[in-house]
Amino acid sequence: MPKIDSKIGPTSLATMTEAQRSSAETQRAARSFSRRLLLKSAAAVAGVASVGPFVLREGRAASGSVKIFSWAGYISPDMLADFEKKTGVKATLTEYGTNDELLNQLKATGGAGFDIIHPTVDRVPNYVEFDLVQPLDESKVKWDGCLKSSVEGSAGMGGVVGGKRFLAPADWGTEGLAYDPKAAPLAYGSASYGDLWAPANAGKVTVRGHSSLIGIGLWLESQGKLPHPIRDQFKDEAKARANFDAILKVAAANKKSVAQFWTNENEAQGAFRTNGCVIGQTWDSTAVALRKEGLPVRFVAPKEGALAWMEGFAIPKKAENLENAYAWINWFYTPEAGALYTNFSGISSTAVGAEAHLTDLNKQFFADAYPGDALQKLWWWPIQEAWYVSIRNEYQDRFLAA
């Protein structure tokens, strides 16, 4: 939704180059990102309940456990230890690699087995449709610990369904262009999803099946070669199929360029680490993880806009440790917990004040990935209803089989 070069250190204002000063300005802009942009990007805004108290506070002993089902590489042992220290609650973690894996697991159990899950906001309506999650008791959530704009903005992105809130925003990130600066150099402003399919990169590309089709769609749309505006395909089946037909034609013609398809973080990293890829459409977290290892991989938002997503915490229908689930959410909405999360995963937390505790490495990666007007051009995933996911997967399978 990353890791960073350990050789990068803080730079004094007196010795900053013009580029470094621009980078610093980007970092400052990033701190106000959610407040300025999530509201602008969301299609609707929902009201936010009044702030409630922490369910559990440091110094007030608690007991029991909470079962967390989250993305692989998101929650660190240090986070679990800090949560237990602050609340007295023992957290156990189970990990998954994709949204579909999470949804299928909950469908198999009817919403049982976990107290907290970590879905992407645009997929929340799927869980509601299958009656797998319960509305949040907003009086039990310390909303003032979460960026207000992410709470409000998430409402129209899938966090509120039928007038009820099902998601407490936790983080946001993007999918854009990961690249080796020597083997496949890119520069912000000219870098495009179309660069993936340049002849020079043939046989050295990694992409995810369904999201790479959207990348191709945005590229075609920018050239006036898509039958319908790409956002229209999320609302109308006929337009979805017409667009995907045009997109698939380009994807199939360029499939020979793909050295490896990825479906999860480990596979995306492996494409660069061991399988010879020099460019790909990946999560920002993929690039920062490789960068932290010292590998020559960087990340930049394409000119068509990086694919932006938001994730958050939801409570399954049959959660057994309900109060402790709210304790987890409220602990996460503290600056220290948010920073633990971002410093470990490289994914931006929605916790108010977390940026003050980030490492210089994470700040630098953010500045390199989103220079200039990149934040203003983020392309937020619309709600993906079940009918759309079915069509999307159909065309993905056709791409993979081409």
Side-chain angles (χ1 to χ4, degrees), residues 23-367:
S23 176
E25 290 173 2
T26 300
Q27 293 173 28
R28 287 195 294 273
R31 297 189 183 103
S32 62
F33 159 76
S34 292
R35 188 173 305 280
R36 291 187 298 107
L37 293 170
L38 281 180
L39 284 173
K40 182 178 179 181
S41 303
V45 176
V48 182
S50 59
V51 174
F54 268 98
V55 174
L56 298 170
R57 296 181 185 272
E58 185 174 7
R60 291 177 61 183
S63 61
S65 64
V66 64
K67 297 177 181 178
I68 302 165
F69 198 26
S70 182
W71 295 84
Y74 275 33
I75 308 298
S76 70
D78 286 345
M79 291 177 66
L80 299 178
D82 189 73
F83 172 71
E84 183 173 3
K85 177 182 178 181
K86 299 288 178 58
T87 67
V89 176
K90 176 70 173 180
T92 58
L93 173 66
T94 303
E95 298 181 324
Y96 56 85
T98 70
N99 271 300
D100 289 338
E101 184 182 339
L102 166 59
L103 179 60
N104 290 336
Q105 176 65 32
L106 255 67
K107 288 170 69 175
T109 63
F114 300 98
D115 304 307
I116 283 284
I117 60 172
H118 201 161
T120 306
V121 65
D122 58 280
R123 299 297 298 275
V124 170
N126 301 155
Y127 295 84
V128 177
E129 177 183 358
F130 292 110
D131 196 27
L132 300 175
V133 291
Q134 58 182 279
L136 296 178
D137 182 343
E138 296 192 65
S139 69
K140 294 184 177 181
V141 178
K142 191 180 186 302
W143 294 111
D144 63 349
C146 182
L147 289 169
K148 180 180 179 181
S149 55
S150 68
V151 178
E152 295 178 340
S154 65
M157 299 164 70
V160 172
V161 182
K164 298 179 180 180
R165 176 169 286 279
F166 289 87
L167 183 106
D171 57 77
W172 68 274
T174 70
E175 191 172 323
L177 299 174
Y179 65 99
D180 182 322
K182 290 185 178 180
L186 297 176
Y188 181 71
S190 61
S192 165
Y193 290 109
D195 289 326
L196 294 164
W197 316 113
N201 297 323
K204 302 176 183 178
V205 177
T206 185
V207 295
R208 182 169 57 161
H210 75 83
S211 56
S212 65
L213 295 179
I214 297 300
I216 292 172
L218 289 170
W219 178 40
L220 294 178
E221 184 178 47
S222 72
Q223 299 174 313
K225 297 180 179 179
L226 203 63
H228 304 283
I230 198 162
R231 288 195 176 275
D232 286 359
Q233 74 184 54
F234 292 83
K235 304 174 184 178
D236 184 286
E237 180 173 345
K239 291 180 179 179
R241 290 190 177 278
N243 275 2
F244 273 129
D245 284 341
I247 292 168
L248 182 61
K249 184 177 181 179
V250 174
N254 287 282
K255 186 186 175 186
K256 60 183 179 297
S257 292
V258 180
Q260 178 189 323
F261 286 98
W262 63 270
T263 60
N264 57 49
E265 186 69 270
N266 288 337
E267 292 173 357
Q269 291 180 24
F272 287 92
R273 189 184 294 116
T274 61
N275 293 333
C277 291
V278 299
I279 190 171
Q281 183 179 321
T282 75
W283 292 320
D284 48 4
S285 56
T286 300
V288 75
L290 295 170
R291 185 169 172 177
K292 192 170 185 179
E293 291 179 15
L295 296 179
V297 177
R298 297 296 182 264
F299 183 90
V300 70
K303 62 183 181 181
E304 298 90 350
L307 307 182
W309 42 261
M310 182 189 294
E311 295 166 333
F313 299 122
I315 299 179
K317 185 78 172 182
K318 298 179 181 179
E320 296 179 351
N321 302 294
L322 196 57
E323 293 304 309
N324 292 342
Y326 286 106
W328 172 266
I329 294 171
N330 289 331
W331 167 82
F332 192 89
Y333 285 166
T334 62
E336 295 78 11
L340 281 174
Y341 177 80
T342 297
N343 286 332
F344 175 69
S345 68
I347 302 170
S348 298
S349 166
T350 62
V352 172
E355 71 279 355
H357 303 275
L358 296 183
T359 64
D360 290 334
L361 303 179
N362 279 284
K363 293 176 182 176
Q364 186 64 52
F365 177 85
F366 193 98

